[in-house]
Amino acid sequence: KTVESEKRSWDINLKDANELKFEYPSFTNVITDQIKIAETAMTEAQAQSDEKIKIQKMADANSLLNAAFIRNLKEIKSLKYSMRTKSTEARGLKLEYNEIMSANQAIADGERAVYDSEMKLKNAVNSRTDADALSGLVLSDLKTAVSNLDRVISKVKERENLEKKKNEQVAADKVAAEKQKTDAAQPIKCSYCGELNLATATICKSCGAPLKK
């Protein structure tokens, strides 16, 4: 860690925290309070003359900008996007009859989880404790929904991969059988006189020597 790297992290974390206020208006007050606490810590850090102490205190200030509820809100935003992407992917799968119900259920649960998260995150948040609890609950629900979708997608892809391998093996066996058939039909050359004989011959038609297959 360096002063410069901590400063870059601070700029990014501060930008992210301010963007979250617009994304989740009900969290505006607690995010603003957390930013003020972090800014006080950063001001104190920058006043340090000892570089090691300065870097450590800057890192502490950055940690304050990554409080649990802020981390949760960032991940919730990412999971909501992931949920929509996975729902689209699940709808595009070639499902067998016994997979349709579970896939539709997972998609419906995912969409409901996203909707519920948006409703819950509109509730008034008055303290850091409330923010941690509410964002943690929403995050847990979204993770469960995403996990269920992942499980459905994974099972379908696993089944498709097995079918693909099976078809590849069938094709390979067919090629091998054709090759064996072709090889079996090749004329047999007599090792004594060089005469070509039919594939079914057991002795040379020219010299009468036994043929080696």
Side-chain angles (χ1 to χ4, degrees):
K1 292 182 179 181
T2 65
V3 171
E4 290 74 19
S5 67
E6 289 301 325
K7 180 61 170 64
R8 285 194 296 272
S9 295
W10 171 264
D11 292 339
I12 293 170
N13 291 334
L14 185 59
K15 178 175 177 290
D16 289 344
N18 280 312
E19 286 179 352
L20 288 174
K21 290 194 292 185
F22 293 98
E23 184 83 16
Y24 306 103
S26 62
F27 284 77
T28 296
N29 290 337
V30 289
I31 293 175
T32 299
D33 290 344
Q34 194 65 27
I35 289 175
K36 288 178 180 178
I37 294 171
E39 285 177 334
T40 299
M42 179 57 77
T43 299
E44 180 185 340
Q46 291 176 332
Q48 298 295 322
S49 56
D50 184 289
E51 186 169 348
K52 287 185 178 180
I53 296 176
K54 185 174 185 176
I55 292 171
Q56 183 55 55
K57 286 189 173 294
M58 288 178 75
D60 292 342
N62 269 313
S63 295
L64 290 170
L65 277 184
N66 267 314
F69 74 92
I70 291 179
R71 293 197 308 273
N72 290 345
L73 291 176
K74 288 179 183 179
E75 192 170 356
I76 286 168
K77 184 176 180 180
S78 174
L79 281 175
K80 284 164 66 177
Y81 174 79
S82 178
M83 178 66 70
R84 295 186 178 98
T85 301
K86 291 179 185 296
S87 293
T88 300
E89 182 181 1
R91 286 191 175 93
L93 294 172
K94 294 180 180 179
L95 302 172
E96 292 189 341
Y97 180 78
N98 63 329
E99 297 168 335
I100 293 175
M101 184 176 292
S102 59
N104 287 340
Q105 186 64 53
I107 292 170
D109 289 347
E111 291 175 344
R112 184 164 54 252
V114 170
Y115 175 80
D116 288 347
S117 73
E118 292 172 348
M119 293 299 102
K120 288 175 182 175
L121 292 174
K122 288 180 180 179
N123 293 329
V125 178
N126 300 312
S127 68
R128 164 79 182 272
T129 302
D130 289 345
D132 287 346
L134 179 57
S135 62
L137 174 63
V138 170
L139 181 60
S140 177
D141 290 344
L142 283 174
K143 281 183 174 180
T144 299
V146 169
S147 177
N148 290 338
L149 257 180
D150 278 335
R151 193 177 300 111
V152 168
I153 293 171
S154 177
K155 284 184 177 179
V156 173
K157 288 187 173 180
E158 183 179 355
R159 188 257 304 160
E160 289 178 339
N161 286 334
L162 288 174
E163 288 178 352
K164 182 181 178 182
K165 289 180 180 179
K166 183 178 178 181
N167 291 336
E168 288 174 348
Q169 186 60 52
V170 169
D173 291 344
K174 185 177 179 180
V175 170
E178 289 294 330
K179 184 178 184 302
Q180 187 176 13
K181 184 178 178 181
T182 300
D183 290 345
Q186 293 294 322
I188 302 174
K189 186 177 182 179
C190 178
S191 58
Y192 292 94
C193 68
E195 181 70 25
L196 292 177
N197 297 269
L198 294 176
T200 55
T202 57
I203 60 172
C204 179
K205 64 183 180 182
S206 177
C207 69
L211 298 172
K212 296 180 182 180
K213 297 186 178 181

